[in-house]
């Protein structure tokens, strides 16, 4: 009996322990369940409409899709480049007659607004409006103008083999940066010498014309025919006409150095062809990027041409140029009173006609021909970190006619020269011989550091660009201009650039009486440019 009671006690204790274990388990589960209820897993909130808008702006900019499949769209862009500059002026430079050896100013290099879009399967439209080179010497309330306005028909809906366009635009060629995409320029400014007829027979590098363009596999082409603007409508920065507006008066202003002809212009032909070795560039508009900041692997080889019959004119002085007929004056003395009277006889119509025919034989009409080739490379070095390299090299030959030489000073800070110190009166301010008959070589290099070099403030991209030209008017000696600087890339193409430019100064040769024979010194310009581009 005692044993039975003992066994029963053991069984009861075992069952109680089992019930206790189950209770403890249930309590632990309840505790875990309660903790889970108290701290639910974090849930990422759904993006707000404003978040979606920001993400879309970063990806596409101001772009609106007009079709469900995103093949029809409209896009707006803006570029603003503001500069703070100091220039050590060329000798003899003046501002309204007052000598200026050094000048500081603030200017708007460019302000551009663009609207473009593939509005149907076959029609593309592109319009660019804005202003350039507004500084303290520019006309007040300087007006903006249309840079581009083109309509384009795409022959195949889903292929880029052929598009036909017409309007006001850059027609392409002879080099890549004859039409630079200003919002993605590598340096602070583009190599302006490649805009070969800018504001001479065009409007800031644009002409009214027609063109064809396309991409076949990795081959890209753009060929255009334009009507040059008359040189009689060239104006100085102050709005005054630079040249006489009628034929004979204009012709007599010519010299042995070639100039653009005042005669009605023949059509101008331009073409630029390129081959892509790796990624393929977009060809929606005429303008070519200076850098992709390492976002693409780009290597292109390009070649182009620009031609216009009888675009240039100069005097041929190998034989004597006849003197213009002048009025003759005869005097008669009165035999009685002694009074003297004079009679003026103007040249006859026959004399004037004979003179015009004679000088016409000494005016040489010359074809404009410019050819060039270039190589563009832009690629990441480390895609994850954002390091990238950019390189560009170009060669061109320009035939503007005998001894053509054009001094150009971008957004010049002076407006005249007193002709002192033996310097060409055209070489005032920051001007240098930018274009001329002869050869030009150009190279630019840049390295972009990793994206977060400056943490949340962006990164840096140092660069250098060198133009070396051998012009006929400079006796084929090397004319060298160097630009060196650094881009602070704040976000994409929003950047601040610090640039120093070194340029040559030429002085009068006392023997040849030629202003452009001797490089006597160098001058420089330092400027800071803030660019907003979206």
């Amino acid at each position: 009996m005692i044993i039975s009671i003992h066994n029963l006690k053991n069984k009861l204790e075992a069952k109680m322990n089992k019930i206790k274990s189950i209770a403890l388990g249930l309590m632990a589960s309840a505790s875990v369940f309660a903790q889970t209820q108290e701290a639910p897993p974090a849930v990422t909130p759904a993006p707000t409409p404003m978040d979606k808008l920001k993400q879309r702006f970063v990806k596409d900019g101001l772009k609106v899709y007009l079709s469900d499949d995103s093949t029809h769209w409209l896009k707006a862009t803006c570029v603003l480049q503001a500069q703070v500059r100091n220039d050590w002026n060329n000798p003899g430079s003046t501002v309204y007659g007052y000598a200026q050896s050094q000048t500081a100013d603030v200017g708007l290099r460019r302000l551009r607004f663009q609207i473009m879009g593939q509005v149907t399967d076959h029609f593309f439209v592109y319009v660019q409006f804005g202003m350039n080179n507004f500084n303290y010497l520019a006309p007040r309330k300087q007006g903006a103008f249309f840079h581009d306005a083109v309509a384009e028909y795409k022959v195949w809906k889903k292929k880029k083999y052929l598009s036909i366009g017409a309007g006001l635009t850059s027609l392409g060629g002879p080099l890549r940066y004859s039409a630079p995409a200003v919002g993605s320029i590598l340096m602070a400014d583009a190599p302006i010498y490649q805009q070969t007829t800018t504001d001479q027979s065009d409007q800031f590098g644009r002409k009214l014309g027609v063109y064809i363009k396309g991409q076949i596999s990795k081959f890209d082409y753009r060929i255009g025919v334009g009507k040059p603007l008359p040189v009689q409508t060239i104006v100085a920065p102050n709005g005054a006409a630079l040249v006489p507006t009628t034929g004979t008066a204009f012709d007599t202003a010519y010299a042995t150095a070639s100039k653009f002809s005042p005669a009605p212009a023949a059509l101008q032909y331009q073409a630029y062809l390129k081959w892509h070795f790796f990624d393929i560039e977009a060809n929606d508009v005429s303008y070519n990027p200076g850098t992709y900041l390492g976002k693409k692997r780009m290597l292109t080889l390009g070649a182009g041409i620009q031609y216009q019959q009888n675009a240039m004119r100069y005097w041929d002085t190998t034989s004597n140029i006849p003197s213009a007929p002048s009025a003759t004056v005869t005097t008669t003395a009165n035999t009685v009173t002694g009074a003297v009277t004079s009679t003026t006889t103007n040249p006859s119509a026959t004399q004037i006609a004979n003179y015009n025919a004679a000088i016409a034989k000494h005016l040489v009409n010359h074809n404009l021909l410019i050819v060039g080739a270039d190589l563009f490379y832009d690629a990441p070095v480390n895609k994850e970190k954002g390091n990238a390299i950019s390189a560009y090299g170009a060669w061109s030959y320009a035939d503007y006619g005998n001894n053509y030489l054009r001094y150009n000073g971008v957004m010049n800070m002076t407006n005249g020269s007193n002709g002192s110190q033996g310097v060409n009166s055209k070489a005032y301010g920051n001007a240098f011989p930018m274009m001329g008959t002869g050869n030009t070589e150009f190279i630019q290099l840049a390295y972009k550091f990793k994206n977060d070099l400056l943490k949340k403030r962006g990164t840096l991209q140092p660069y250098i660009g060198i133009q070396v030209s051998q012009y006929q008017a400079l006796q084929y000696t090397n004319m060298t201009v160097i630009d060196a600087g650094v881009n602070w890339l704040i976000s994409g193409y929003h950047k601040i650039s610090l640039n120093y430019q070194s340029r040559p100064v030429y002085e009068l040769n006392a023997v040849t009486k030629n202003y452009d024979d001797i490089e006597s010194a160098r001058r420089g310009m330092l400027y800071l440019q803030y660019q907003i581009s979206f």
Side-chain angles (χ1 to χ4, degrees):
M1 185 69 177
I2 294 173
I3 296 172
S4 299
I5 293 173
H6 180 73
N7 290 339
L8 181 61
K9 182 182 177 182
N10 288 339
K11 290 180 179 180
L12 287 173
E13 287 179 353
K15 287 186 176 183
M16 289 298 294
N17 288 334
K18 188 174 182 180
I19 292 170
K20 187 177 179 181
S21 297
I22 292 172
L24 289 173
L26 290 172
M27 290 174 64
S29 298
S31 175
V32 171
F33 179 76
Q35 290 177 9
T36 304
Q37 292 299 307
E38 290 172 4
V43 177
T44 303
T48 66
M50 182 57 70
D51 291 334
K52 292 180 179 179
L53 187 62
K54 289 179 180 178
Q55 293 170 3
R56 185 171 175 180
F57 179 78
V58 170
K59 180 183 177 182
D60 296 328
L62 297 175
K63 191 172 185 178
V64 177
Y65 291 101
L66 307 177
S67 62
D68 293 337
D69 61 359
S70 301
T71 57
H72 302 162
W73 50 270
L74 273 175
K75 183 176 182 179
T77 72
C78 175
V79 177
L80 169 64
Q81 296 170 344
Q83 294 184 353
V84 180
R85 307 182 298 169
N86 184 82
D87 185 55
W88 290 267
N89 298 324
N90 295 342
S93 297
T94 62
V95 175
Y96 294 110
Y98 293 90
Q100 286 270 288
S101 61
Q102 185 174 338
T103 307
D105 80 342
V106 176
L108 296 180
R109 178 67 179 93
R110 295 179 179 92
L111 174 61
R112 307 280 183 83
F113 301 94
Q114 299 177 97
I115 296 177
M116 67 189 81
Q118 190 72 46
V119 293
T120 73
D121 288 339
H122 297 281
F123 283 99
F124 179 82
V125 64
Y126 174 63
V127 176
Q128 183 174 196
F129 184 79
M131 62 185 293
N132 309 280
N133 300 333
F134 181 73
N135 70 348
Y136 80 105
L137 288 176
R140 300 189 189 194
K141 303 174 184 177
Q142 176 168 305
F145 61 93
F146 283 100
H147 289 65
D148 298 82
V150 295
E152 186 176 287
Y153 180 76
K154 185 178 176 183
V155 176
W156 285 275
K157 176 181 175 180
K158 295 184 179 181
K159 300 292 183 181
K160 292 187 174 183
Y161 296 156
L162 175 64
S163 294
I164 305 169
L168 174 67
T169 193
S170 176
L171 299 175
L175 291 163
R176 180 181 180 87
Y177 298 123
S178 298
V182 296
S184 61
I185 293 172
L186 175 64
M187 303 192 298
D189 211 342
I192 304 299
Y193 84 93
Q194 294 191 10
Q195 298 173 42
T196 53
T197 60
T198 184
D199 281 339
Q200 298 299 294
S201 61
D202 58 38
Q203 178 168 282
F204 226 77
R206 283 85 169 169
K207 293 182 179 69
L208 293 163
V210 297
Y211 63 89
I212 60 172
K213 71 172 190 184
Q215 288 182 337
I216 303 171
S217 183
K218 293 192 173 185
F219 175 68
D220 183 289
Y221 68 93
R222 184 179 292 271
I223 303 170
V225 181
K227 182 65 175 178
L229 304 179
V231 295
Q232 287 88 339
T233 58
I234 299 174
V235 295
N238 62 7
L242 286 179
V243 297
T245 57
T246 58
T248 302
F250 197 103
D251 289 345
T252 55
Y254 275 76
T256 56
S258 181
K259 297 181 183 180
F260 282 84
S261 173
L267 295 176
Q268 188 173 111
Y269 303 90
Q270 292 175 253
Y272 185 67
L273 316 175
K274 63 182 173 183
W275 180 265
H276 300 92
F277 291 91
F278 303 130
D279 292 345
I280 297 176
E281 295 185 283
N283 74 337
D284 294 329
V285 296
S286 304
Y287 303 102
N288 296 296
T291 177
Y292 289 95
L293 303 178
K295 293 181 179 180
K296 292 188 177 183
R297 186 175 179 231
M298 200 67 63
L299 177 62
T300 67
L301 177 64
I305 187 171
Q306 184 175 15
Y307 174 80
Q308 182 186 335
Q309 185 178 22
N310 294 336
M312 314 303 294
R313 180 177 286 183
Y314 60 91
W315 283 107
D316 177 10
T317 58
T318 55
S319 57
N320 293 328
I321 298 175
S323 299
S326 58
T328 57
V329 179
T330 57
T331 57
T332 304
N334 189 301
T335 57
V336 177
T337 63
V340 177
T341 59
S342 60
T343 303
T344 301
T345 305
N346 291 319
S348 66
T350 301
Q351 288 176 305
I352 294 174
N354 290 339
Y355 168 74
N356 288 336
I359 65 169
K361 296 178 181 178
H362 294 270
L363 279 173
V364 177
N365 293 310
H366 192 89
N367 299 335
L368 171 69
L369 174 64
I370 304 172
V371 295
D374 51 20
L375 186 69
F376 171 69
Y377 179 73
D378 193 271
V381 176
N382 186 318
K383 202 165 187 178
E384 288 72 27
K385 292 184 177 181
N387 305 65
I389 190 170
S390 184
Y392 174 74
W395 168 88
S396 61
Y397 169 74
D399 183 0
Y400 292 94
N402 188 57
N403 280 323
Y404 177 86
L405 190 69
R406 181 183 177 188
Y407 278 84
N408 192 25
V410 175
M411 200 161 62
N412 211 320
M413 287 177 272
T414 67
N415 58 5
S417 173
N418 57 25
S420 65
Q421 304 182 54
V423 175
N424 193 324
S425 60
K426 297 177 182 178
Y428 54 83
N430 61 347
F432 64 89
M434 186 177 288
M435 305 159 189
T437 293
N439 299 305
T440 294
E441 299 83 42
F442 177 79
I443 187 171
Q444 67 180 15
L445 298 168
Y447 180 79
K448 176 180 171 285
F449 290 98
K450 62 180 182 177
N451 290 332
D452 58 350
L453 179 70
L454 305 177
K455 306 302 181 184
K456 294 183 179 181
R457 297 184 183 273
T459 188
L460 299 177
Q461 184 186 43
Y463 63 79
I464 187 170
I466 303 173
Q467 175 185 342
V468 181
S469 301
Q470 301 86 35
Y471 297 134
Q472 180 188 17
L474 301 182
Q475 314 304 312
Y476 295 107
T477 58
N478 286 335
M479 190 290 305
T480 304
V481 176
I482 302 171
D483 283 272
V486 60
N487 295 320
W488 173 15
L489 301 171
I490 301 170
S491 176
Y493 293 112
H494 305 321
K495 64 179 181 176
I496 295 177
S497 302
L498 179 65
N499 189 94
Y500 180 78
Q501 182 183 85
S502 173
R503 64 182 184 272
V505 175
Y506 291 86
E507 68 178 22
L508 177 68
N509 186 324
V511 177
T512 65
K513 304 301 180 183
N514 189 333
Y515 277 106
D516 304 311
D517 275 358
I518 302 172
E519 181 180 334
S520 61
R522 297 191 72 83
R523 290 289 188 272
M525 178 173 64
L526 179 68
Y527 64 95
L528 194 70
Q529 176 174 279
Y530 187 20
Q531 172 177 294
I532 297 293
S533 177
F534 61 86

